[in-house]
Amino acid sequence: MKKSAIAAVVLAAGRASRMKTQVSKVMHPIAGRSTIDYVMTAAAALKPELTVVVVGKGMDDLVQAVAPHRTALQSPPLGTGHAVMAAKKALAGFKGDVVVIFGDTPFLGADTLRRVMAAKRRKPAPAVVVLGFRHETPGSYARLVLGRDGTLEQIVEARDADAETLKLDLCNSGVVAVEKDLLFSLLHRISPKNAQGEYYLTDIVGLARRDGRTCVAVEGPAEELLGINSRADLAAAEAVAQNRLRAQAMAGGATLVDPASVYFSHDTKLGRDVTVHPHVVFGPGVTIADGVTILSFSHIEGATVATGARIGPFARLRPGAAIGEDAHVGNFVEIKAAKLGKGAKANHLAYIGDSEVGAAANIGAGTITCNYDGFAKHRTEIGAGAFIGSNAALVAPVRIGARAIVGAGSVISSDIPDDAIAMTRAPLKMLAGGAKRFRAGRAKGGAKRPKTTKTKR
Ligand code: UD1
Ligand code: MG
């Protein structure tokens, strides 16, 4: 027999009053990826015929984030049951099972969702399948009330529960699977007569039971089913995500000297034998090849680092940084949209932006590529084997030839050919014995104080 089709309805229109946010709460990132993105990926694993995301008024960022999936507007948000009703029109042409997923449950796993759908398809088919989880301190989660036969009798929201019900530890995750027509006929009958004055999706279980239908609860892992309702929940979710990413990095062959102090992005890629020292932060879009060492207090984002390179301590790699094999980027060096060739070194205090640095070039302490003139960004090219002396300012657009040497303290504003030496320096003034004479004069009280220049106001 052909499996019935699945439509996913993801709820994300809530007011998020506990989060106190101007943007939709499901847009808040966890390890650099929006909460809703995790949920959409889990939903996609069911290969639904269509996915409808229920959004609130003004949530344009969310509509964009879930495109090309359809969205349905719920305005004003009057509860989770009311939110599913808002998706009715978008589901008009669909026949089959609807699985409702809450947009604030980012760690929901694909396998867990598949177990829910498997339970829905078991014969005789239950009317409603709800995904639950056990929690030692269930707090504000709704409780699943099971009958003697183990089937699900009712879902009671914590705020409507009596003391006995609150003692139950089986919680509602929010995931519900119901055949579409049955879902909407049940939803038409729910009322907002409850502590929060909302249309609860959870009420469909009690209604189905009263009609003599069977409802079942599937138990899932609690760590997958934490809902994000407040900033504290968001921080707890971040901690969960970070611990997973740290474990993944180590399982993949990277050494994290102090895992708890390293922060990853969901997409950080580390090769084998990479060593990450304490207090390193990876933003989105980072790929680190094998054998790279990253020393403490480095911040790396949108960058690639090739085999054997050494980064930090205190290095900052910004988007578009591409560090070549065995290259070194040292303390207080910032690199943006720039390539560093094989074996090139920028070891101390430098800014390299919109540049290409050739292999084995040496960038001295304090070198600045002056890439911005207040209007546009310009490029700097530094040839292979070039030597840039300390405190040089390279005024872009400019090209320093291969093997050229730039003297310390120079301001270079025109191209320097290969193998040339270039320097710009104010002439040196030197008074032999001058310091001695000055001190002697001061000691006698004879020398005048240096004059201060007064400016007219
Ligand atoms: C909800 C459930 C609760 C469950 C918990 C699991 C209800 C009534 N409560 O409570 O049983 O234990 O999740 O995490 O279902 N939303 C809308 N429109 C609305 C209201 C909410 O789209 O009018 C969306 C929210 O954006 C959110 C999701 O539905 O993504 C859940 O809403 P939320 O307010 O977080 O409900 P909880 O109090 O967490
Ligand atoms: Mg919630």
Side-chain angles (χ1 to χ4, degrees):
M1 204 179 75
K2 198 173 164 283
K3 280 184 189 172
S4 59
I6 299 173
V9 174
V10 178
L11 305 190
R15 258 191 268 267
S17 47
R18 287 163 282 181
M19 195 93 166
K20 300 191 174 60
T21 179
Q22 292 300 320
V23 298
S24 164
K25 78 168 170 179
V26 302
M27 289 304 288
H28 285 264
I30 299 162
R33 183 181 176 203
S34 68
T35 306
I36 192 72
D37 206 34
Y38 289 84
V39 178
M40 297 303 283
T41 304
L46 290 177
K47 300 198 170 60
E49 190 176 300
L50 82 161
T51 300
V52 180
V53 182
V54 181
V55 303
K57 209 172 156 191
M59 294 183 184
D60 302 338
D61 51 347
L62 176 57
V63 172
Q64 268 186 18
V66 300
H69 294 293
R70 298 186 64 165
T71 53
L73 180 67
Q74 183 204 15
S75 179
L78 300 177
T80 50
H82 182 256
V84 178
M85 296 274 272
K88 191 176 179 187
K89 229 169 138 188
L91 293 169
F94 171 81
K95 273 192 181 4
D97 289 327
V98 173
V99 57
V100 179
I101 303 172
F102 289 178
D104 68 349
T105 313
F107 300 131
L108 175 62
D111 286 344
T112 306
L113 270 181
R114 285 191 203 103
R115 280 176 46 219
V116 171
M117 294 323 292
K120 179 70 192 69
R121 284 160 175 174
R122 214 161 281 148
K123 297 289 168 203
V128 181
V129 177
V130 174
L131 178 62
F133 62 102
R134 305 257 172 205
H135 205 294
E136 272 175 28
T137 47
S140 63
Y141 290 110
R143 309 302 200 270
L144 302 188
V145 183
L146 303 183
R148 287 220 179 110
D149 60 355
T151 62
L152 179 62
E153 300 225 304
Q154 211 191 347
I155 306 181
V156 186
E157 290 302 315
R159 283 172 64 177
D160 301 293
D162 57 27
E164 272 312 292
T165 312
L166 284 175
K167 283 184 193 156
L168 299 173
D169 68 346
L170 189 57
C171 305
N172 175 32
S173 73
V175 175
V176 177
V178 199
E179 187 278 320
K180 185 188 106 175
D181 293 334
L182 177 61
L183 170 66
F184 287 110
S185 72
L186 291 168
L187 283 173
H188 276 293
R189 290 157 58 194
I190 61 176
S191 86
K193 283 189 201 133
N194 51 52
Q196 300 183 77
E198 288 185 358
Y199 293 88
Y200 293 159
L201 169 64
T202 42
D203 282 352
I204 63 171
V205 168
L207 290 170
R209 283 294 292 196
R210 255 173 269 159
D211 293 349
R213 317 287 301 252
T214 308
C215 303
V216 300
V218 169
E219 251 186 72
E223 64 272 18
E224 280 187 18
L225 299 169
L226 306 171
I228 297 186
N229 298 308
S230 63
R231 305 276 173 170
D233 293 340
L234 186 66
E238 182 71 37
V240 169
Q242 289 300 337
N243 281 332
R244 284 184 187 181
L245 292 164
R246 289 164 188 150
Q248 258 173 39
M250 291 188 281
T255 294
L256 307 184
V257 176
D258 175 23
S261 71
V262 177
Y263 287 82
F264 288 104
S265 174
H266 66 99
D267 59 353
T268 309
K269 291 190 185 71
L270 298 189
R272 295 197 173 184
D273 292 315
V274 167
T275 300
V276 184
H277 286 258
H279 303 290
V280 170
V281 176
F282 294 96
V286 173
T287 302
I288 309 285
D290 295 349
V292 169
T293 300
I294 301 172
L295 296 160
S296 296
F297 305 106
S298 295
H299 190 282
I300 304 176
E301 181 183 4
T304 59
V305 179
T307 314
R310 208 182 69 187
I311 308 297
F314 296 100
R316 178 162 186 216
L317 302 186
R318 290 175 52 202
I323 311 304
E325 256 178 68
D326 300 320
H328 289 183
V329 178
N331 39 274
F332 307 106
V333 173
E334 174 179 345
I335 304 211
K336 184 220 73 169
K339 259 191 182 169
L340 225 60
K342 185 176 175 176
K345 288 183 182 142
N347 270 332
H348 347 255
L349 302 153
Y351 172 64
I352 312 289
D354 302 300
S355 304
E356 173 135 14
V357 178
N362 194 309
I363 310 288
T367 297
I368 305 288
T369 56
C370 311
N371 59 336
Y372 187 51
D373 59 12
F375 297 91
K377 300 277 168 68
H378 303 282
R379 292 194 60 79
T380 301
E381 260 185 65
I382 299 172
F387 181 96
I388 312 296
S390 297
N391 237 19
L394 309 179
V395 184
V398 70
R399 179 181 181 278
I400 312 295
R403 299 169 303 279
I405 294 177
V406 170
S410 299
V411 177
I412 304 293
S413 51
S414 60
D415 291 355
I416 308 299
D418 293 356
D419 298 303
I421 290 188
M423 68 179 90
T424 64
R425 267 179 206 167
L428 178 76
K429 190 177 175 190
M430 205 260 296
L431 306 174
K436 201 173 171 187
R437 287 197 296 280
F438 171 73
R439 285 202 190 89
R442 286 294 282 159
K444 279 192 217 150
K448 283 183 185 158
R449 283 167 174 244
K451 272 187 187 165
T452 49
T453 345
K454 280 186 185 161
T455 42
K456 280 186 188 163
R457 295 189 186 239

